[in-house]
Amino acid sequence: MYLLTIESTCDETAAAILTEELEVLASVVASQEDLHQQFGGVVPEIASRAHVESILPVIDQTVRLANLTLADLDAVAVANTPGLAGSLLVGLTAAKALALALDIPLLAINHLQAHVYACRMASGKDVFPCIGLIVSGGHSNLYRCEGPTDFTLLGGTIDDAAGEAFDKVASLLGLPYPGGPSISKAALDGDPKRYRFPRPMVDDKARLDFSFSGLKTAVRYEVHGTGKLTGEVNLDPQTIADVAASFQDAVVDCLVAKAELALGKTGYNTLCVGGGVAANGRLRERLEESAAKRGYELHIPPMSLCTDNAVMGAIAIERWKAGKFEDLSLDIYPGLERIRS
Ligand code: KG4
Ligand code: ZN
């Protein structure tokens, strides 16, 4: 069985070809990073136009890399929730066109479930049941994952996502987009203890939510002076490194604390981490320490499977096995509310 998976939820156009045994025959990711860099964040309209331009070449290249032709495909799956509406529509339309033209089944992928499934793909073994921590530019969520497609939301950000906070603080410090990699690079030479930024909600043991907006404002006040939100920023490289390191540690403290709390509350013994922020070296280090100390199993995929990709769309094989096919009325669901099971 050859499954083509398509991912276009945000600013990466990606496709992969997978088999029923979860073998990856080909995977292609076209990043739009360069297009959004000058704006310091993803511009939805630019993202959807770029998807339109790259979706067919990406699919073509994927099929060729797998040494197949379109006629060899047995099913097509597409991430239709959550994400940017315009971006989601491009992937969905391409998938529907292929399903119709090739007369093959169409399957839906929940992008957040796919991020957790990346841990299944990377580890080569069953990771369920687990706690899923999804930290990306758009989400910071904790899920109870009873199975690959059986998720319950335990908590999430009440304002900015973790990756969004990295991107905004980087832009404040004059560091390039995307902010996560720039901040972690700058932080390597910084003193994480120089500034004591707040750890919002960490002491609230009743909730599994995050809040990064106040932390971002605390950094802003540190950079511009208390009470001032704008102005010239003229920081020396050591101060930039110290702010970056102190900010990064504050975010990491929040993520680790709530992940540990979720494991404790549910009694689960496995933590799966996904999303672009999972590429953060400090977060990985701190979670590894936490797992070693508390004795739980930790899965963090390699960088290429943390950021958006179509390999994690292998989760559609689970739906294929369960006979959960879609028809051509399949729609997009940009918001979080629609976790399909
Ligand atoms: O999952 P992703 O590729 O796209 C979505 O948002 O869906 O995540 C992108 C986010 C960006 O906000 C980026 O700054 C952040 O992941 N990121 C990182 C790192 N690499 C990427 N954040 C912290 N540390 C990193 N090393
Ligand atoms: Zn993502």
Side-chain angles (χ1 to χ4, degrees), residues 303-326:
M303 175 87 174
S304 60
L305 291 182
C306 284
T307 49
D308 289 348
N309 65 86
V311 169
M312 64 189 190
I315 191 174
I317 305 267
E318 303 278 348
R319 296 180 69 82
W320 182 77
K321 284 183 182 160
K324 291 184 174 172
F325 299 108
E326 309 295 334

Side-chain angles (χ1 to χ4, degrees), residues 46-309:
I46 293 177
S48 44
R49 283 167 192 257
H51 282 305
V52 169
E53 281 174 17
S54 47
I55 191 92
L56 294 181
V58 163
I59 292 172
D60 259 358
Q61 197 189 343
T62 310
V63 172
R64 266 189 287 117
L65 270 178
N67 277 324
L68 298 175
T69 65
L70 285 177
D72 296 316
L73 299 178
D74 296 297
V76 56
V78 62
N80 70 327
T81 185
L84 300 171
S87 295
L88 288 166
L89 274 174
V90 178
L92 179 68
T93 310
K96 281 185 183 178
L98 284 170
L100 183 65
L102 302 171
D103 194 21
I104 53 175
L106 175 67
L107 295 146
I109 296 167
N110 178 298
H111 178 75
L112 297 178
Q113 291 176 347
H115 267 304
V116 172
Y117 206 76
C119 294
R120 163 75 186 81
M121 295 304 285
S123 70
K125 61 178 207 178
D126 192 11
V127 294
F128 300 97
C130 65
I131 293 298
L133 172 65
I134 312 294
V135 271
S136 70
H139 307 283
S140 304
N141 295 332
L142 273 164
Y143 291 97
R144 174 207 296 268
C145 316
E146 280 165 61
T149 60
D150 189 356
F151 279 35
T152 310
L153 184 65
L154 298 174
T157 181
I158 59 166
D159 39 58
D160 292 354
E164 191 182 352
F166 270 98
D167 294 336
K168 287 177 177 167
V169 167
S171 125
L172 197 70
L173 295 175
L175 299 172
Y177 174 85
S182 317
I183 295 233
S184 41
K185 191 160 162 241
L188 289 176
D189 303 318
D191 172 8
K193 296 201 166 38
R194 176 158 168 204
Y195 301 100
R196 180 70 197 170
F197 292 127
R199 271 76 174 151
M201 308 192 83
V202 155
D203 294 328
D204 185 348
K205 305 282 187 243
R207 289 175 69 180
L208 289 166
D209 294 319
F210 303 102
S211 165
F212 296 112
S213 172
L215 170 59
K216 180 189 65 193
T217 307
V219 176
R220 201 179 275 279
Y221 283 168
E222 192 58 56
V223 169
H224 292 299
T226 307
K228 287 203 215 138
L229 290 175
T230 52
E232 260 307 273
V233 178
N234 197 5
L235 303 175
D236 61 88
Q238 191 56 52
T239 303
I240 291 180
D242 292 345
V243 171
S246 304
F247 161 76
Q248 176 174 262
D249 262 31
V251 175
V252 168
D253 273 354
C254 298
L255 298 175
V256 174
K258 294 295 177 180
E260 286 177 348
L261 193 60
L263 288 161
K265 277 183 188 287
T266 55
Y268 279 17
N269 204 35
T270 303
L271 177 67
C272 285
V273 191
V277 182
N280 185 273
R282 185 76 182 125
L283 176 64
R284 296 173 94 101
E285 197 178 278
R286 287 284 312 283
L287 284 173
E288 274 157 22
E289 282 166 20
S290 160
K293 195 166 146 211
R294 293 173 172 247
Y296 62 85
E297 201 175 308
L298 173 68
H299 294 281
I300 313 182
M303 175 87 174
S304 60
L305 291 182
C306 284
T307 49
D308 289 348
N309 65 86

